[in-house]
Every structure is written in structure tokens, then in C-alpha cells.
Amino acid sequence: MTSAIRVKLSLMMFLEFFIWGAWFVTLGTYLLRNLGASGTQVGVAFLTQSIGAIVAPFIVGLIADRFFSAQKILGVLHLAGAVLLWRASQAPDFGSFYPSILTYMVLYMPTLALVNSIAFRQMQNPQKEFAPIRVLGTLGWIVAGLTIGWLNWEQSNSLQLTFLMAAGASALLGVFSFTLPATPPVKKGQSSSVGSLLGLDAIGMLKNRSYLTFFLASIAICIPLAFYYGFTNPFLNEVGMKAAAGVQSLGQVSELLFMLAIPLFFSKLGVKKMLAIGMAAWVLRYVCFAYGGGENGYWLLIAGIVLHGICYDFFFVTGQIYTDNLAGEQFKSSAQGFITLATYGVGMLIGTLLSGRIFDQYQLAAGAHDWRMIWLIPASIAAAVLVLFLLLFKERTAAPVPTETAGVDAATRLANAN
């Protein structure tokens, strides 16, 4: 891979995640403040991520892999996304906002797979070449949060500008995509079933009781995860944290550092301890949020944010590695799609709907909220999942399904981390 291509791929990754981070982190605050949305409506808005994740395999599997070059589809999707983000910024109420953001996420979520595909196709050794490029994506998310904090958009009630900033970046990436290296379809003329697109070919892995335990735990732990995505920024702003979006970017810094250390921890601790530590971190994070705030509790808020690296990497990245190790060769790719569908599809769907209702239930007078109860509920859910996991999960190394396919390597797992 030449230096020019490496720079192009790095810029692609930076813009891809800058766009998402530019509006997603502060979405809950924007809906509550600017559009007068309820907590349930905030949950429904974040649910668009799950809907997009479910639809994404069809767009990538049925279109990008068979008919058109990936870089051209990426360009078209981001140009259309720029228009939708602009429309979302102009919406006067939630009813007119939701169709734009739903359509946008249906178009955006497939681009996460497309940028990975474009990058991998240019590499001779993805395990060495991919991480330095993918890290620019995490940096893009961090820069987006720092920009929002630096411009003081949360305190000045100017979060509408986050959508305009994201729209501008989306338009830029849309145009830039047509200059990326050619990535023609690799499955032209081939056919696929709906089950294979969704990863259902790997459903036989659930015959392994320990993997079934992990699978159900993955769905369940996404319920408290939805509380974090949807209501952390509104919470931090309500308790008076300045430049909350910028401070939240510490979570991505933590994620990046722990991701680099995953191989060491994995070899020392093993699957069960890694997964358990990840779930325990969720419990601790929400306890920190529940008792943080105020001058004396500010450090608890920071601790809860920084724990994001352990929460995400120790459970989700480790889970992807565990899934890849257990899947037979024929089911490696399907298994990754299956666990993604379960977590970001089913788990996040339940979590976003529940978190919105809990938020509304604990609303107090004058727009304030009983945040201690709001955070102790997901802490309790995570603790219950942790206890059941420790009781039922038995670490095994034998593959539960026939050994046949080729699939997702360590670089792909890094690609799915966010």
C-alpha cells in the first residue's frame, strides 16, 4: 500500500467517525432541550441505530458485494446523508425530525462496513496495516466531541449546529469517496439467503451452553448500554458539567488505550474473567454516575466516563474474539453478523425503549430528574447479568460447530469497535 493510499484511507476513517460523533453524543440533550421530546422519544430516536444495524447487511450484502463498487456506494450514501442531516437540523419538532434521522441511520450504518471493506481490500497484511488507519476513526469521534465542547454549543443551546457540522463533513466524505481506490464487487453473480446475510447460519453455535450463556448475556448487557448512549450527555449537562461532549471523549481515549492492551489481558486472564470484568465495569460506571455530581462527586463522573474503555473492550471486543475462536471456519463471518444482530439489533432495541420510559418515570419538577434512580436501574440490570454469567458460563475451547470457513480476523474485530 502506497503512502498516498494510506493517507486517503486514514482521512476516510477520520471523517466517517467524525460525522457520527458530531451529532450522536449530544442527540439526547438536543431532543430534550430544543424539540421538547420525552424520554421515550429520545429512546425511539436512538433506536434508529438498531434499525440501521439490522438493515445494513442487506444493503452491503445485496448491493455493494454484487453490483457496484464500494467507494461509489459510500459516496452516494454520504451525499444523501448530508441532505438528511441538514433536514434534521431544520425540524421544528420530534415528529418531523424522526423520519429524517431514521432514514439517515438506515443509510449510515452500512457505511461502517463499507469503509472497512475499502480499507481491507488495499492491504496485504491487515493485522499490521489496519489498526493505524482505524485509529483515525476513534480520533475523529474525539475531535468532534472536543469541537462541540470548545465552541460551547451545549451551554449556548446551539446543538442544532452539530447536525450542520455533521452534514458538512458528510458532504465532504461523499465527494472524497469517489477519489478512493477502486473496490469492485467481489460476489458478482453469486446469491445469498436472508439467513446468511443476517448471520443466522451460525445459529448452531447456541448448542454450546456456555456460548448460549454468553449470547444471552450480550443481549442483556446492551440494555444498560442503551442508558449510556441515550442519557449520559443530558445527565452531565443537567448536573452542570461544562463542555460535557468534550469530556465524554475521554471515554474514546480510554477505549483506544485498552484496545491496544487487549491481547495482553486476553492471554493473562482468559475469556471468562475478561467478560466478567467488562460487565463489572458497567455496574461500577453506573454507580459512579448515580452518586456523582456536585463539587465533591465530580471525580466520580470522570471515572464513570473513563471506564468506557473497560466496559466496551473487555466485553464486546473480547466477545468478538471469543465468537471468532469458537466458530468453525464455515461460520466465522456469519457468527460475527449473528452476534452483532443480537446486540445492536435486539439488545439495544429493548434498552432504548426501556431507558426512555425510566427517564420519563423519574422526572421531577422544573425539568429535573432523579438521576440516582435512573442510573441505579441499569447498574442493577448489569449486576444481575454478571451474577448469572459467573454461575452459568464455563470457559471452553472446543468449537461447537463443524470447522469449515474463513472469516473475521483480529483487524476486523478492531474495525467493529467504536
Side-chain angles (χ1 to χ4, degrees), residues 14 88 92 102 107 138 172 184 187 214 253 265 268 281 350 389 412:
F14 180 90
L102 172 61
L107 297 183
T138 301
L172 177 59
K187 297 182 180 179
F214 161 73
V253 175
F265 284 116
K268 296 291 185 181
I350 298 171
F389 175 82
T412 305

Side-chain angles (χ1 to χ4, degrees), residues 197-386:
L197 289 173
L198 294 176
L200 300 184
D201 290 347
I203 199 167
M205 292 179 67
L206 299 183
K207 294 178 181 178
N208 181 318
R209 291 186 179 181
S210 287
Y211 189 79
L212 175 61
T213 300
F214 161 73
F215 181 82
L216 295 176
S218 297
I219 295 175
I221 207 67
C222 279
I223 297 174
L225 172 62
F227 282 77
Y228 179 78
Y229 281 165
F231 295 101
T232 299
N233 189 258
F235 161 64
L236 296 177
N237 277 286
E238 189 170 310
V239 299
M241 178 177 284
K242 295 181 179 179
V247 176
Q248 280 183 261
S249 66
L250 291 173
Q252 276 62 51
V253 175
S254 168
E255 175 190 326
L256 178 59
L257 295 176
F258 278 104
M259 191 185 301
L260 295 174
I262 281 289
L264 175 62
F265 284 116
F266 198 89
S267 63
K268 296 291 185 181
L269 299 175
V271 172
K272 184 171 184 176
K273 290 180 180 178
M274 289 280 288
L275 294 172
I277 290 171
M279 287 185 280
W282 284 107
V283 180
L284 181 58
R285 152 181 273 177
Y286 290 130
V287 170
C288 287
F289 282 175
Y291 293 95
E295 294 183 4
N296 296 327
Y298 185 81
W299 69 272
L300 287 174
L301 302 181
I302 300 300
I305 293 170
V306 172
L307 279 168
H308 179 74
I310 300 177
C311 293
Y312 188 89
D313 292 340
F314 275 57
F315 190 86
F316 290 101
V317 177
T318 298
Q320 289 165 358
I321 297 173
Y322 172 59
T323 296
D324 190 59
N325 288 343
L326 279 183
E329 284 299 313
Q330 182 179 352
F331 298 100
K332 284 181 180 285
S333 296
S334 296
Q336 294 295 334
F338 188 40
I339 195 64
T340 299
L341 176 67
T343 52
Y344 283 96
V346 179
M348 287 292 290
L349 184 150
I350 298 171
T352 50
L353 296 177
L354 176 64
S355 62
R357 292 181 180 274
I358 296 298
F359 178 84
D360 286 338
Q361 181 178 347
Y362 288 98
Q363 182 170 351
L364 305 175
H369 297 84
D370 185 351
W371 286 108
R372 179 164 297 179
M373 283 302 303
I374 291 173
W375 292 125
L376 286 178
I377 289 173
S380 300
I381 296 173
V385 176
L386 172 60

Side-chain angles (χ1 to χ4, degrees), residues 20-30 33 138 140-155 159 162 165 228 232-238 240-253 298 302 305:
W20 198 3
W23 65 272
F24 193 74
V25 173
T26 56
L27 174 61
T29 300
Y30 173 76
R33 285 184 181 177
T138 301
W141 186 290
I142 293 170
V143 170
L146 293 175
T147 300
I148 295 170
W150 176 60
L151 295 174
N152 205 35
W153 284 347
E154 291 161 288
Q155 279 67 46
L159 288 177
T162 61
M165 179 171 69
Y228 179 78
T232 299
N233 189 258
F235 161 64
L236 296 177
N237 277 286
E238 189 170 310
M241 178 177 284
K242 295 181 179 179
V247 176
Q248 280 183 261
S249 66
L250 291 173
Q252 276 62 51
V253 175
Y298 185 81
I302 300 300
I305 293 170

Side-chain angles (χ1 to χ4, degrees), residues 20 46-62 98 102-113 193-200 219 336-353:
W20 198 3
F46 277 96
L47 182 61
T48 59
Q49 175 184 253
S50 299
I51 297 173
I54 293 171
V55 173
F58 294 96
I59 294 180
V60 175
L62 295 178
Y98 183 74
L102 172 61
T103 308
Y104 174 76
M105 288 304 281
V106 168
L107 297 183
Y108 177 80
M109 293 304 288
T111 68
L112 296 173
S193 66
V194 172
S196 65
L197 289 173
L198 294 176
L200 300 184
I219 295 175
Q336 294 295 334
F338 188 40
I339 195 64
T340 299
L341 176 67
T343 52
Y344 283 96
V346 179
M348 287 292 290
L349 184 150
I350 298 171
T352 50
L353 296 177

